[in-house]
Amino acid sequence: MAEHDPRNRTGRVPLLRGLAAAALAVGTLVASAGPGYGTGAAALAPGTQFTPLTAAVMTEPAPFDATDGKTHLSYELLTTSALSSSAPVRLDRVDVEDAGTHQVIGSLSGQALAEAANPVGNPLPGADAYTPPPPAPTPTVIQGSQQWIIWLDLTLDQGRTVPEVLEHHFSGAILTASGPSAFEETVQATPTARTAPLNLSPPVLPGAWYASESCCGNTHHRRGLAPVNGRFGVPQRFAIDWYRVGEQGQAWEGDPTQLTSYLSYRQPVAAAARGRVVEVQDGVPDNPPPHTPPIPPIEDTVGNHITLEVAPGRYLLYAHLQPGSLNVREGDCVEPGQILALIGNSGNSTTPHLHFQVMTTAEFFPTDSPPFTFQQFRVLGQVEPRIWDDNLGLQPTGVLPITPSPYEGPHRAQYPLDREVLEF
């Protein structure tokens, strides 16, 4: 946790010659009020200044407890340079602060900032690859008029109060022809969610399961930025891909080109809460594993699926189901533990698994992805290397390299972190 550095809270940090350059680069026209323009009685609010960067959150940050015993806040900042191409901005540090106390609760700088930020439309390398991505370049330089996304994953020690409002403090320099000109700015005050995450029953039957692509790191769920209907969203932020694991730690055995070789295939999925079926899609064929299928039409992205409405503005998605296995229809009411369908490999899926998440809409596109927890489970171990669900069938063996976890044992009302192996 970073210590708080006292700052000039007015935000009036001198930009030296860069302030004038910034204003001109933005194309800002500053003129004094002449006759007929105001009375002179009005005054700017304290702290008003030109800022080289703007920022906007993409969701309301929602705290949740995870298996590491900490409270997490995972969300994104869309950051845009307001300057021209002749004035890049070097972003040196991002501090997330409690807006009430100005205490820093999380910081990014140097390599950590470089790995948590990327230009929109240019995701970090390494996603869906066999090897870890190369180190991101430092320092982080945002070109003029360019938009970046900063992936924030904050952790608070158990028992620490979650701030009611977060604010974000940027520091860096405008890189002008005459040299760098330092700046600091405070952007985007945003309230945190006050409603507790859904606490759910298991979406699968008892046994050992691998929680793949879970939060919080560089996974295609957590960092899946999607432009839908003219707006950016992160529709899979907290989604989990569930794989059945055998007694020897195997996810598949035999011929990986056969659907029946995967232990997940045709495993039942269960209602994780009392609710009403609001959407059902069937008839999408299973893909032959393990090669990546062509990207399907947007309406078939999640393949055969069932959506349950379980609370106002909260829906459970069960995706990639086996065609013909769905047991419910729209309008049906279900109880926790009720069998809904069987796991398949339909839609944008390479090997059989259950894609499960909470949504804010009945449709996957567009939706937001809030966090959730499970009532009880036991952590058995973890998979250290990054093994993507798309690649499981391409591994030389179907046995997962499961190692001991520091969080082994029973857990209640917590969210499983990425690559944990657990038992419901």
Side-chain angles (χ1 to χ4, degrees):
M1 228 30 102
E3 296 295 328
H4 174 59
D5 295 327
R7 303 188 190 281
N8 176 358
R9 301 307 309 177
T10 66
R12 295 183 181 275
V13 181
L15 298 185
L16 306 177
R17 293 186 299 272
L19 178 57
L24 291 174
V26 177
T28 304
L29 177 64
V30 179
S32 59
Y37 293 91
T39 63
L44 290 176
T48 300
Q49 64 176 32
F50 292 117
T51 53
L53 297 176
T54 66
V57 295
M58 297 182 61
T59 191
E60 182 180 58
F64 62 98
D65 295 332
T67 46
D68 58 1
K70 297 181 181 296
T71 299
H72 291 243
L73 286 161
S74 295
Y75 62 105
E76 306 80 32
L77 282 179
L78 271 179
T79 304
T80 306
S81 170
L83 306 185
S84 71
S85 58
S86 62
V89 174
R90 190 188 71 219
L91 183 59
D92 295 332
R93 186 180 180 93
V94 176
D95 289 328
V96 183
E97 303 176 354
D98 183 330
T101 64
H102 303 306
Q103 183 178 11
V104 174
I105 65 169
S107 296
L108 288 170
S109 61
Q111 192 63 44
L113 174 59
E115 293 175 358
N118 60 269
V120 167
N122 181 26
L124 292 177
D128 296 326
Y130 295 98
T131 56
T138 55
T140 297
V141 176
I142 301 175
Q143 299 297 326
S145 303
Q146 197 174 48
Q147 187 172 60
W148 282 52
I149 186 166
I150 302 174
W151 307 94
L152 294 170
D153 294 298
L154 310 176
T155 56
L156 302 176
D157 291 333
Q158 190 173 26
R160 185 171 179 182
T161 302
V162 176
E164 292 187 5
V165 179
L166 302 173
E167 62 183 11
H168 306 81
H169 192 88
F170 290 169
S171 56
I174 302 170
L175 305 180
T176 66
S178 57
S181 184
F183 76 90
E184 293 189 19
E185 59 176 278
T186 298
V187 297
Q188 190 53 57
T190 183
T192 56
R194 298 289 98 189
T195 303
L198 291 178
N199 193 28
L200 302 171
S201 299
V204 290
L205 295 191
W209 294 85
Y210 175 42
S212 178
E213 306 300 316
S214 182
C215 195
C216 304
N218 184 7
T219 73
H220 79 262
H221 285 167
R222 174 67 188 96
R223 300 197 177 186
L225 185 66
V228 179
N229 295 346
R231 297 187 64 180
F232 280 123
V234 184
Q236 307 178 84
R237 185 182 296 109
F238 295 106
I240 300 177
D241 286 343
W242 293 103
Y243 293 87
R244 188 72 165 87
V245 179
E247 292 183 358
Q248 306 303 317
Q250 73 274 28
W252 57 266
E253 51 191 2
D255 182 356
T257 67
Q258 300 299 312
L259 286 167
T260 53
S261 296
Y262 294 84
L263 277 64
S264 303
Y265 189 60
R266 292 185 53 81
Q267 285 287 319
V269 301
R274 178 180 291 109
R276 182 174 62 90
V277 179
V278 295
E279 183 170 297
V280 171
Q281 181 177 0
D282 201 351
V284 181
D286 281 330
N287 300 307
H291 303 290
T292 303
I295 297 176
I298 189 169
E299 64 270 17
D300 292 339
T301 299
V302 294
N304 305 315
H305 65 276
I306 295 170
T307 305
L308 305 181
E309 183 179 20
V310 297
R314 290 295 183 268
Y315 302 83
L316 306 185
L317 172 66
Y318 297 77
H320 308 313
L321 304 175
Q322 183 193 27
S325 74
L326 284 65
N327 297 327
V328 293
R329 298 179 179 180
E330 291 183 18
D332 287 354
C333 293
V334 298
E335 296 294 324
Q338 182 174 334
I339 301 304
L340 304 176
L342 303 179
I343 293 175
N345 199 39
S346 57
N348 192 18
S349 176
T350 301
T351 58
H353 68 281
L354 171 66
H355 175 106
F356 177 81
Q357 68 174 93
V358 176
M359 304 188 298
T360 57
T361 64
E363 297 285 347
F364 182 66
F365 289 130
T367 193
D368 195 26
S369 176
F372 54 92
T373 59
F374 290 113
Q375 293 168 5
Q376 57 183 352
F377 57 91
R378 176 178 292 273
V379 172
L380 303 177
Q382 63 186 3
V383 176
E384 284 287 355
R386 159 56 54 213
I387 298 180
W388 295 82
D389 61 350
D390 286 348
N391 295 340
L392 279 184
L394 299 179
Q395 299 298 319
T397 173
V399 178
L400 298 172
I402 301 172
T403 59
S405 166
Y407 314 123
E408 286 180 10
H411 293 264
R412 292 182 180 273
Q414 291 181 334
Y415 175 89
L417 294 172
D418 184 38
R419 290 173 286 155
E420 289 185 324
V421 178
L422 55 90
E423 182 179 45
F424 284 118

